[in-house]
Amino acid sequence: MPLEEAILQAIFTRIRPILMIALMGSMQLLPAALSSGMGSEVQKPLAIMIVGGLIFCMLLSLTVLPQIYYLAYKKSEQKNENKD
């Protein structure tokens, strides 16, 4: 299978689990991130950071990580072609 096709297929098979994990964690911590009652001054910043990190990590794993794989494996393919 060509490299580009393999990466696209991997993205499409992993998009649902990645979205489910990120959205589930974000939705569970959303009440803590939006709270303003007593005791929220401790949990609110932590919840905001976790929700932001989950969403940011989800976006990176679906956009940047495939490009890194492409660049890394493209170089190894070129080295293998030069050896042959």
Side-chain angles (χ1 to χ4, degrees):
M1 176 180 299
L3 180 61
E4 294 86 3
E5 186 178 335
I7 290 174
L8 282 175
Q9 185 177 358
I11 290 171
F12 289 127
T13 57
R14 296 299 303 161
I15 194 167
R16 185 179 299 166
I18 290 171
L19 284 174
M20 286 175 58
I21 290 171
L23 292 176
M24 179 82 95
S26 298
M27 289 185 341
Q28 289 175 352
L29 287 171
L30 200 58
L34 298 176
S35 66
S36 62
M38 186 184 302
S40 67
E41 61 270 357
V42 174
Q43 68 183 8
K44 188 174 182 173
L46 180 64
I48 290 172
M49 289 300 296
I50 292 173
V51 169
L54 282 170
I55 292 172
F56 187 69
C57 196
M58 174 189 64
L59 292 174
L60 284 180
S61 66
L62 293 175
T63 57
V64 175
L65 197 59
Q67 294 174 3
I68 292 172
Y69 282 142
Y70 177 77
L71 293 174
Y73 283 105
K74 194 67 168 176
K75 288 181 182 179
S76 67
E77 281 184 356
Q78 290 174 353
K79 287 181 183 178
N80 290 338
E81 287 175 3
N82 289 339
K83 287 181 181 179
D84 294 338

